[in-house]
Amino acid sequence: MTLKKSSHNLSLAMFRQSALKVCAMPLLVFATAALYMIWQFVGIMGIGHSGNMYGGNTGFYFDEARSSDFLINVFFIAAAFISAAILFGFNWSKKQTNVIYSLGLSKKQIYLSRMLGGLLPMLAVILLITMLETFNMGWAGLTPNLHYWKMVLCTDLSWYSVYALSFVLCSVVFSATGNFIEGSVFSFIFALFPTVLNKFLYNCAYMYTLGNTNSINFTKSWSWDEPFFLNELTGFIGEYRDIISQSNDYFSKGTSSELGIFNFSSAITALVLAAVIFVIGFVAFKKHRNEIAGTWGRAKGVTEIAAAVVSLYAFSLLLNVLSYDAVRGNGGILIFVVCLVAFLISMIVFKLIFSSKRAKALKNSLKRFPIYAAGLGAVTLIFYCGMFGYSSYIPESSDVVYVDVSTAVKPYINDVISGTSYFGFKDMFFGNNILYDTYEQSVIYSDEKEIEEIIKLHKRIVDNGKIKDSADNACLYPITIRYKLSNGKYIERWYNESDEETAKLIMMLSNYKTNKDIFEKRINGTEKSAEETIVSRLKILLGKDVNVRGYGYADTNLNSLGFSIEWSVYEGEEYIGYVYADEENQLFFEDVDTHMLIGSLPDDWQNYEELNFIYMMNAKNCYLYSKDMTEGYALGMADIELFTAIKKDIVNQTAEQYFLHKPEDELGVITFGRSKTYYGNSSGYGYEFYDDEMKYEDEEETEVKPGTIIKGDSWNLNSNDNFAFVVTKDMTNTIKYLESKNCLKYLTAERKIDDIKSVKIATISELNCKNKNSSKIPVFFGAYWTSETVKAMTEELRGGDIYNYHPFEKIDNKISDKDKISKLLDNSVLFGFCPNNYRIVEIEYKDGSLATVLVSADAYNDIMS
Amino acid sequence: MIKVSNITKKFDEYTAIDNLSFEVGNSSVYGLVGYNGAGKTTLLKIIAGVYMSDSGSVEFDGVDITEHPEVKQELFYVPDDLYFGLNSTMNSMARFYHSYYPEFSYSTFVRLSELFGLNRKKRISGFSKGMQRQAEIVLALSSMPKILLLDECFDGLDPAKRNLTKKLLLDYMAEKECSVVISSHNLHELADMCDHIALINGQKIAIDCAVDDMNGSRCKFRLAFSEDIGEELFRGIEYKNFKKDGRIITFTVSKNLEAAEERIAQLNPVLVERFPLSLEEIFLEEMEDTNYDFEKIFS
């Protein structure tokens, strides 16, 4: 053996040895990339690959590197962990510390040379991959363009930032702990710190700050589907993923996309964070007590910080649980105290585990707890006091360009059998249609007067302050107000109101001209549906008639959905391919050989056909039901005069008339098409029934002879498959039409009180098992179920799970007094706003059929007193 | 020259070393003796720069090691717990130390390896404990340090290798004029090679003196008198361990031996016997008021 003359540069020697120790990691990265490139290279050589290889967004960076970004990041994190353990794990061994620290190197030199030994080889390999790929590209006859270099920079930065941040974090923690377990656990805990802090701030804001929104950088939500820490781990990795995935969209769309600084922000943030941790580690390393090597529980400083992070986690977790399930407002202090107790317990438990002297650790925890409590209290107080004016700030109307107001409305108790609605309703008033039990409505107001009105509403909400606990708080009324200011900034506030009057004011927004315009546009339904667009385009492009069948929720703006929508394309009954819409609403047709752009939909495209007023009523039988509900009258196929009459009426209806009409103003129900009854189990598996026979959903209706009396039919004001609404006295055109047909009497038929066996009465809260704080504005929809339907659904299919589907089963407030029942029903409505103190009445008829109506709180109290 | 000044080291609330100072000159072997846990290893680790002291300083030839860790290129620390890299051989460890010790001598390395009969290409993990110790000593001496810190370095060595090691160390010290600090819990191990011995007594150095000075510097007297005499007559003699058994009196004297002899003569004893104290007896006498584990030191 011969030895070269020593360089006498000890730092360089240690750097070289460090780099050699961990070179397997970067070599593995290089080998993986090189394998792909060789394959690519062989492809070019073997088949004379054309030059559009890169033009088609393939190649290592466009294709392989991005198709498995999650795995790549997991690999980089694992590589960083292993490298850090190899280079800084010597701090866990007394034997190794004896050797390393007795060498002629300062701690500063040891730290720097080991850090660089871990960081630089990976950087070198990533750059080498870039060089090789660029060479590969040149071999394919292509010149790297600006787009290519941007993509390379973004990808390389992203990869490296993930590795660097993970490596630096693990290295710093490893060099401050006494053994592998401490090092690993603490690294994991510190890696979660941003998420923990995020959760803490989010929950504090949610709990204590009036007007907080979910969109001020507090993003991740808790998922109970996964174990607690695993969820956070995936979140942690997910955040790393975001670093590179942000730029994916740009590259997947071709060279026209511009890559801005925003796309580098996550990677840069990660690198800055890595640099900060690097410096902190540097300072800490110089003061590191080597004697803790190989010991348990003697890394006091780092244990204290880890304990604080874990305890903050416990605090936030409990705050999160209580914020959703427990009281708010005047319960805030109690919740804070409970969370503090959780904090203390977590801290004690953690320190008992990770301390060598447990009694002392316990004593220290108790001694320091007041400091932590004061800190948490101070932060919470800031949130509680409105975050320095955040809660109370409302912009001047003159500064507002537009305001976007959104709220959530829940059609409630439309289905007495199915306490959980599986489908929504076609709300012609707000102009929304989403096939869920809750729908969000969002309207942008730019009219000056409307903006001023919304600001007034906003002020009222702010003046109301935080909600107070109330036993009747079954529902809170959510509203999000988002201002676009003339200076280009946005201000967004979110409220959960408990004040009934405010909720009414929110509903009154639909009186604004902006809402009316949207509504009218929906009614007129002039836009083409996506399906029509696809069919007409494919006819031109393919030269043949096709039909399409969609299986996505193509019912709203595609841009907001966040997932791809596809339609199967058939020529007759033969499947020939499919069409999908990308995030820019571009429609592409794909089959085995073809991938073509066939057109695009407007940015604000919605599936208007589904909402088209005429479409919904067209070719449907029209039925009239009085408030007696048990018996209907067939009016025949709906005609254009009826459409026109109804359209005029509902366009002119005010929100008061629509949502808050009085019982005496309500005549009855008009439906188009026969109602099917849907119900399903919790997994979503559902059945469809007609009362008399099974039918296919898309089967065209044949005309029911006008004047036929309909008995034994269920109907539902909130049905997805037919269109139904309450006729009120203000709907003069409709009434006039019905009078002309001499059938208004069917709407005003007398109620047969003798047919009623009893009624059950409950509030929303009672029907919800007293689950409070549901953030929806509840709107009641009446319905009627025949005895056959009730029997079929309760006995044959529901089995013992009846309480989940028929909430009235557990209600004891039952009345059989005919006089009182009569009064209750006289004061009932079939549709309307349903605040927390209103009563929902389930009518049980003697034949076993059921129906639901709504009674106001005042009326109920009068009658029952 | 090593100068340790006012070193204090605490582990949490436990004070391992309290305000300890000593010096080791060039071409000097300084023995640190003490029972297990007395602070020998801690002290050596502080000198080597493995541990940081809470106060005090360590200087090599007037240069503070904390401020100038580069001076440790001339220091080699052989710890009690040896460490060799995973799958390391003597050769690979030689390469390792060659990177950090500018004077590393490969020829010395080869020569010493052969002297100890160590296979340089074999994994050190396959060596016996004694062989590993020998390997470390070979590497230490090959690194040509001016300061050698040896912690229980004879543990696990057979008598032959122990003597060989001692001889090598002494030769190396003589040749390089280096300073050696060697610790052991066994005084006999160090007595024949140290020119200076310190007894560390859990925090402090209880005795710190040159071996040559100690030899013959303390005597034990046994006197016989014709009649019974009292202890008060011995005033003026700085004695210790005074014992009276009838007319027979024994005591030890460590200072002013001549004056003591004059005084004894004045008392006209029938019999005067004077014995020089052995190193062992001197340590025993010094530590008689402590709870020192004597057996371990002298075993």
Side-chain angles (χ1 to χ4, degrees):
Chain A
M1 187 187 85
T2 55
L3 293 174
K4 291 176 187 171
K5 183 152 177 65
S6 170
S7 64
H8 305 320
N9 187 329
L10 274 56
S11 296
L12 193 63
M14 185 161 275
F15 166 74
R16 193 177 63 241
Q17 285 171 4
S18 302
L20 284 172
K21 275 185 173 187
V22 296
C23 66
M25 301 300 158
L27 285 178
L28 197 58
V29 172
F30 180 73
T32 310
L35 272 177
Y36 177 80
M37 287 178 197
I38 290 167
W39 173 80
Q40 197 180 46
F41 190 79
V42 169
I44 295 167
M45 294 285 286
I47 61 172
H49 207 300
S50 66
N52 75 356
M53 174 178 165
Y54 288 91
N57 290 342
T58 60
F60 178 73
Y61 282 101
F62 281 108
D63 185 1
E64 198 67 9
R66 298 193 166 274
S67 61
S68 52
D69 60 345
F70 178 76
L71 287 177
I72 287 174
N73 281 287
V74 170
F75 170 78
F76 274 121
I77 293 169
F81 179 88
I82 294 166
S83 299
I86 291 170
L87 294 181
F88 286 89
F90 72 88
N91 286 290
W92 300 329
S93 158
K94 279 192 190 302
K95 289 180 179 180
Q96 290 190 56
T97 52
N98 287 338
V99 176
I100 302 293
Y101 290 112
S102 65
L103 298 172
L105 286 156
S106 64
K107 281 193 166 182
K108 176 179 142 189
Q109 287 170 311
I110 294 170
Y111 181 84
L112 290 176
S113 51
R114 294 229 157 200
M115 274 288 187
L116 294 177
L119 288 170
L120 293 184
M122 190 63 86
L123 179 63
V125 158
I126 289 173
L127 293 176
L128 190 59
I129 291 169
T130 300
M131 284 172 62
L132 280 178
E133 174 64 358
T134 309
F135 170 77
N136 220 3
M137 198 174 167
W139 186 263
L142 297 167
T143 308
N145 57 16
L146 183 62
H147 178 60
Y148 170 82
W149 287 117
K150 280 181 176 178
M151 179 213 44
V152 165
L153 181 62
C154 189
T155 309
D156 287 356
L157 257 185
S158 303
W159 286 354
Y160 193 63
S161 63
V162 171
Y163 175 80
L165 180 55
S166 309
F167 175 76
V168 171
L169 175 71
C170 291
S171 298
V172 168
V173 176
F174 290 173
S175 59
T177 47
N179 57 69
F180 174 77
I181 295 172
E182 280 182 354
S184 307
V185 172
F186 290 6
S187 293
F188 180 70
I189 289 168
F190 291 137
L192 296 182
F193 178 67
T195 313
V196 174
L197 189 65
N198 186 34
K199 292 270 177 275
F200 171 67
L201 295 175
Y202 171 82
N203 286 310
C204 274
Y206 183 81
M207 282 282 293
Y208 298 111
T209 307
L210 180 68
N212 76 82
T213 73
N214 295 347
S215 56
I216 49 172
N217 298 324
F218 306 129
T219 49
K220 275 172 60 53
S221 58
W222 302 83
S223 168
W224 298 104
D225 299 333
E226 298 171 31
F228 183 50
F229 278 107
L230 184 61
N231 178 33
E232 291 313 305
L233 177 64
T234 54
F236 168 59
I237 295 170
E239 282 169 16
Y240 278 141
R241 277 183 75 190
D242 292 345
I243 293 171
I244 68 166
S245 64
Q246 277 179 2
S247 59
N248 281 1
D249 294 344
Y250 286 88
F251 301 122
S252 63
K253 287 174 188 170
T255 54
S256 60
S257 301
E258 285 301 320
L259 193 63
I261 188 71
F262 175 77
N263 299 91
F264 295 92
S265 62
S266 296
I268 292 168
T269 304
L271 288 174
V272 169
L273 198 56
V276 170
I277 296 170
F278 186 98
V279 173
I280 293 170
F282 181 69
V283 174
F285 193 78
K286 286 201 285 188
K287 295 178 180 174
H288 176 63
R289 294 175 304 132
N290 302 333
E291 54 265 34
I292 69 166
T295 62
W296 178 267
R298 290 188 60 198
K300 288 180 191 168
V302 79
T303 304
E304 185 70 32
I305 301 169
V309 174
V310 167
S311 305
L312 188 66
Y313 212 168
F315 184 98
S316 304
L317 172 65
L318 202 58
L319 199 64
N320 183 77
V321 171
L322 296 175
S323 70
Y324 287 113
D325 297 334
V327 295
R328 280 181 259 169
N330 52 5
I333 293 170
L334 179 64
I335 289 171
F336 177 76
V337 171
V338 171
C339 292
L340 267 186
V341 171
F343 182 97
L344 178 62
I345 291 169
S346 304
M347 175 149 281
I348 289 171
V349 170
F350 189 89
K351 285 198 179 172
L352 287 179
I353 295 170
F354 288 100
S355 295
S356 55
K357 294 176 181 172
R358 291 179 175 161
K360 197 177 169 190
L362 184 66
K363 195 177 158 189
N364 276 343
S365 298
L366 293 171
K367 197 172 155 189
R368 288 176 187 154
F369 177 66
I371 300 167
Y372 287 116
L376 289 168
V379 175
T380 308
L381 198 63
I382 288 170
F383 279 98
Y384 190 79
C385 294
M387 289 205 300
F388 307 109
Y390 173 90
S391 287
S392 55
Y393 178 69
I394 298 170
E396 295 296 326
S397 60
S398 56
D399 296 333
V400 178
V401 178
Y402 67 77
V403 55
D404 181 357
V405 179
S406 60
T407 187
V409 176
K410 182 186 176 80
Y412 195 76
I413 310 296
N414 62 297
D415 186 341
V416 72
I417 295 299
S418 174
T420 305
S421 300
Y422 283 93
F423 44 85
F425 70 115
K426 295 170 174 56
D427 184 86
M428 300 303 293
F429 213 75
F430 283 118
N432 284 275
N433 172 41
I434 290 185
L435 298 176
Y436 300 116
D437 61 337
T438 301
Y439 74 92
E440 301 278 340
Q441 66 114 347
S442 174
V443 179
I444 293 173
Y445 301 91
S446 53
D447 180 81
E448 201 177 318
K449 284 185 180 172
E450 289 176 353
I451 290 172
E452 281 175 8
E453 288 300 314
I454 289 163
I455 285 175
K456 275 185 197 168
L457 171 65
H458 192 174
K459 281 180 179 164
R460 177 192 169 92
I461 293 169
V462 170
D463 290 343
N464 280 350
K466 286 194 71 66
I467 56 172
K468 299 292 178 191
D469 179 32
S470 161
D472 292 329
N473 251 351
C475 293
L476 299 172
Y477 315 125
I479 182 168
T480 302
I481 304 171
R482 185 167 182 256
Y483 299 97
K484 164 84 184 286
L485 303 182
S486 50
N487 61 9
K489 289 184 178 174
Y490 291 90
I491 292 172
E492 185 171 330
R493 299 290 185 269
W494 170 83
Y495 303 95
N496 238 353
E497 267 293 303
S498 62
D499 175 35
E500 187 183 318
E501 289 307 311
T502 307
K504 286 179 183 171
L505 285 175
I506 294 170
M507 300 179 90
M508 294 309 115
L509 292 175
S510 51
N511 283 334
Y512 292 173
K513 186 176 179 302
T514 303
N515 292 65
K516 292 286 183 190
D517 289 346
I518 295 169
F519 180 45
E520 208 162 339
K521 193 176 169 186
R522 296 285 187 274
I523 288 175
N524 291 329
T526 51
E527 291 83 355
K528 275 186 178 178
S529 71
E531 287 79 4
E532 279 180 303
T533 306
I534 294 165
V535 168
S536 63
R537 292 281 178 166
L538 288 178
K539 186 170 183 178
I540 296 166
L541 294 167
L542 304 178
K544 50 190 172 189
D545 287 319
V546 296
N547 60 81
V548 295
R549 297 170 197 175
Y551 49 88
Y553 286 116
D555 50 19
T556 187
N557 187 347
L558 292 174
N559 278 321
S560 67
L561 290 175
F563 57 87
S564 176
I565 297 173
E566 294 179 357
W567 293 266
S568 298
V569 181
Y570 292 82
E571 186 178 2
E573 288 302 312
E574 186 190 353
Y575 174 79
I576 60 168
Y578 68 95
V579 169
Y580 73 90
D582 70 2
E583 291 177 359
E584 288 185 339
N585 277 4
Q586 295 185 111
L587 296 168
F588 292 89
F589 173 72
E590 282 216 5
D591 62 11
V592 179
D593 306 313
T594 319
H595 172 84
M596 68 166 88
L597 178 70
I598 63 169
S600 59
L601 297 165
D603 281 348
D604 63 344
W605 175 84
Q606 298 200 12
N607 199 351
Y608 288 121
E609 188 182 19
E610 285 290 312
L611 289 167
N612 185 321
F613 190 67
I614 292 174
Y615 171 85
M616 291 164 71
M617 294 194 285
N618 196 27
K620 298 273 171 60
N621 281 291
C622 178
Y623 304 95
L624 302 176
Y625 293 90
S626 71
K627 288 177 81 172
D628 178 55
M629 297 189 269
T630 56
E631 196 173 275
Y633 171 80
L635 196 61
M637 299 300 274
D639 58 25
I640 193 68
E641 287 83 11
L642 179 57
F643 298 158
T644 311
I646 292 173
K647 202 166 86 173
K648 274 186 186 172
D649 286 337
I650 60 176
V651 165
N652 291 328
Q653 255 185 334
T654 63
E656 291 87 340
Q657 289 167 331
Y658 188 72
F659 289 112
L660 305 170
H661 56 257
K662 293 173 182 170
E664 57 269 29
D665 293 335
E666 209 174 58
L667 297 176
V669 174
I670 187 163
T671 73
F672 295 88
R674 296 173 72 184
S675 172
K676 286 177 283 187
T677 304
Y678 286 80
Y679 56 95
N681 55 28
S682 57
S683 65
Y685 181 72
Y687 301 84
E688 303 173 9
F689 274 85
Y690 282 93
D691 287 328
D692 44 2
E693 60 188 57
M694 294 291 289
K695 287 184 180 178
Y696 291 106
E697 190 180 358
D698 295 332
E699 190 175 332
E700 282 189 10
E701 287 193 17
T702 52
E703 185 177 32
V704 178
K705 191 181 172 187
T708 305
I709 300 297
I710 306 297
K711 266 192 170 285
D713 240 14
S714 298
W715 57 265
N716 186 342
L717 275 174
N718 184 19
S719 171
N720 189 45
D721 57 293
N722 69 335
F723 179 57
F725 55 89
V726 165
V727 179
T728 48
K729 283 179 181 172
D730 54 78
M731 297 173 70
T732 52
N733 294 297
T734 307
I735 291 168
K736 198 172 170 185
Y737 172 88
L738 294 175
E739 277 176 337
S740 71
K741 297 284 182 183
N742 196 27
C743 53
L744 185 63
K745 59 188 175 187
Y746 292 104
L747 280 182
T748 55
E750 285 289 313
R751 181 177 290 109
K752 301 179 193 74
I753 198 75
D754 289 339
D755 291 346
I756 297 173
K757 185 179 166 188
S758 63
V759 297
K760 282 185 174 178
I761 303 160
T763 62
I764 293 177
S765 173
E766 288 164 344
L767 289 174
N768 274 313
C769 302
K770 303 199 174 182
N771 285 336
K772 295 190 286 185
N773 298 332
S774 167
S775 297
K776 310 285 182 294
I777 296 178
V779 177
F780 175 81
F781 291 77
Y784 171 77
W785 291 268
T786 63
S787 56
E788 288 79 10
T789 309
V790 172
K791 191 178 174 188
M793 291 192 287
T794 55
E795 292 179 7
E796 293 175 22
L797 296 169
R798 300 297 159 77
D801 209 12
I802 188 69
Y803 290 112
N804 290 334
Y805 299 94
H806 189 180
F808 271 102
E809 280 288 316
K810 56 182 174 288
I811 300 299
D812 297 326
N813 187 5
K814 191 172 181 178
I815 295 173
S816 304
D817 184 318
K818 283 186 182 173
D819 185 42
K820 281 187 177 172
I821 291 172
S822 182
K823 283 180 184 171
L824 276 173
L825 298 186
D826 287 346
N827 285 282
S828 68
V829 291
L830 293 168
F831 175 82
F833 172 49
C834 177
N836 295 317
N837 55 358
Y838 274 35
R839 300 301 195 280
I840 296 147
V841 178
E842 184 192 63
I843 306 163
E844 186 182 359
Y845 292 93
K846 285 178 179 169
D847 64 357
S849 57
L850 297 172
T852 47
V853 293
L854 179 70
V855 177
S856 71
D858 291 343
Y860 173 77
N861 293 332
D862 284 349
I863 294 162
M864 298 314 286
S865 64
Chain B
M1 179 181 165
I2 308 167
K3 186 180 180 186
V4 175
S5 311
N6 308 112
I7 288 289
T8 298
K9 178 67 182 173
K10 289 181 179 176
F11 296 116
D12 297 330
E13 281 135 26
Y14 171 70
T15 305
I17 293 171
D18 187 16
N19 201 29
L20 188 149
S21 303
F22 66 91
E23 287 182 18
V24 184
N26 292 339
S27 301
S28 173
V29 181
Y30 191 91
L32 274 175
V33 186
Y35 54 72
N36 295 330
K40 305 183 297 290
T41 300
T42 302
L43 181 58
L44 287 178
K45 285 187 175 183
I46 290 170
I47 298 170
V50 178
Y51 288 175
M52 286 184 292
S53 60
D54 296 313
S55 64
S57 65
V58 178
E59 292 175 3
F60 297 154
D61 294 334
V63 181
D64 192 302
I65 63 151
T66 312
E67 290 170 15
H68 300 280
E70 65 274 10
V71 300
K72 289 195 290 179
Q73 290 179 66
E74 295 186 311
L75 173 149
F76 200 105
Y77 172 47
V78 178
D80 187 20
D81 273 345
L82 299 176
Y83 173 76
F84 303 98
L86 198 65
N87 298 327
S88 291
T89 62
M90 290 279 287
N91 280 338
S92 65
M93 289 308 293
R95 278 194 293 272
F96 174 80
Y97 284 116
H98 174 255
S99 306
Y100 298 103
Y101 290 91
E103 302 298 324
F104 190 91
S105 164
Y106 183 65
S107 57
T108 307
F109 169 69
V110 172
R111 186 171 54 82
L112 291 179
S113 298
E114 286 170 357
L115 192 62
F116 278 102
L118 299 170
N119 186 337
R120 300 193 304 276
K121 294 178 181 171
K122 197 178 167 190
R123 283 183 186 175
I124 299 175
S125 56
F127 286 4
S128 69
K129 188 184 170 189
M131 288 166 79
Q132 288 187 1
R133 181 74 62 188
Q134 292 161 38
E136 185 73 0
I137 289 165
V138 167
L139 289 164
L141 296 177
S142 306
S143 299
M144 301 289 163
K146 286 189 177 169
I147 297 157
L148 253 175
L149 305 177
L150 306 168
D151 191 3
E152 307 283 3
C153 70
F154 301 119
D155 265 12
L157 296 182
D158 60 55
K161 290 291 188 317
R162 190 177 296 205
N163 289 335
L164 176 61
T165 305
K166 283 182 180 178
K167 183 178 179 306
L168 283 171
L169 285 171
L170 291 171
D171 288 350
Y172 178 81
M173 183 195 70
E175 185 187 331
K176 290 284 175 184
E177 296 184 350
C178 81
S179 309
V180 179
V181 181
I182 183 166
S183 79
S184 176
H185 57 270
N186 191 324
L187 180 64
H188 290 309
E189 234 170 36
L190 304 183
D192 57 347
M193 69 177 292
C194 294
D195 47 40
H196 221 93
I197 287 186
L199 186 71
I200 188 163
N201 175 25
Q203 296 183 0
K204 289 179 181 292
I205 287 182
I207 305 171
D208 179 3
C209 52
V211 173
D212 290 342
D213 293 346
M214 276 195 269
N215 288 334
S217 65
R218 298 188 186 202
C219 290
K220 183 176 180 181
F221 287 91
R222 190 164 67 179
L223 311 176
F225 291 91
S226 55
E227 55 189 25
D228 203 13
I229 60 169
E231 191 177 346
E232 66 279 0
L233 294 174
F234 292 88
R235 278 181 197 149
I237 300 173
E238 291 183 40
Y239 59 79
K240 277 186 178 177
N241 298 328
F242 187 93
K243 284 177 188 168
K244 182 167 176 279
D245 182 13
R247 287 177 288 174
I248 307 294
I249 290 170
T250 57
F251 55 84
T252 59
V253 178
S254 56
K255 292 176 185 173
N256 299 324
L257 271 174
E258 287 177 4
E261 281 179 323
E262 277 179 26
R263 177 67 189 135
I264 288 167
Q266 288 169 7
L267 294 173
N268 294 318
V270 180
L271 175 71
V272 178
E273 287 181 329
R274 176 180 154 170
F275 310 99
L277 287 183
S278 68
L279 206 56
E280 195 172 307
E281 285 169 319
I282 293 170
F283 275 80
L284 269 173
E285 189 182 270
E286 285 294 329
M287 305 309 299
E288 66 181 356
D289 295 331
T290 70
N291 295 322
Y292 225 100
D293 187 353
F294 298 107
E295 281 186 11
K296 282 187 180 176
I297 293 178
F298 301 120
S299 61

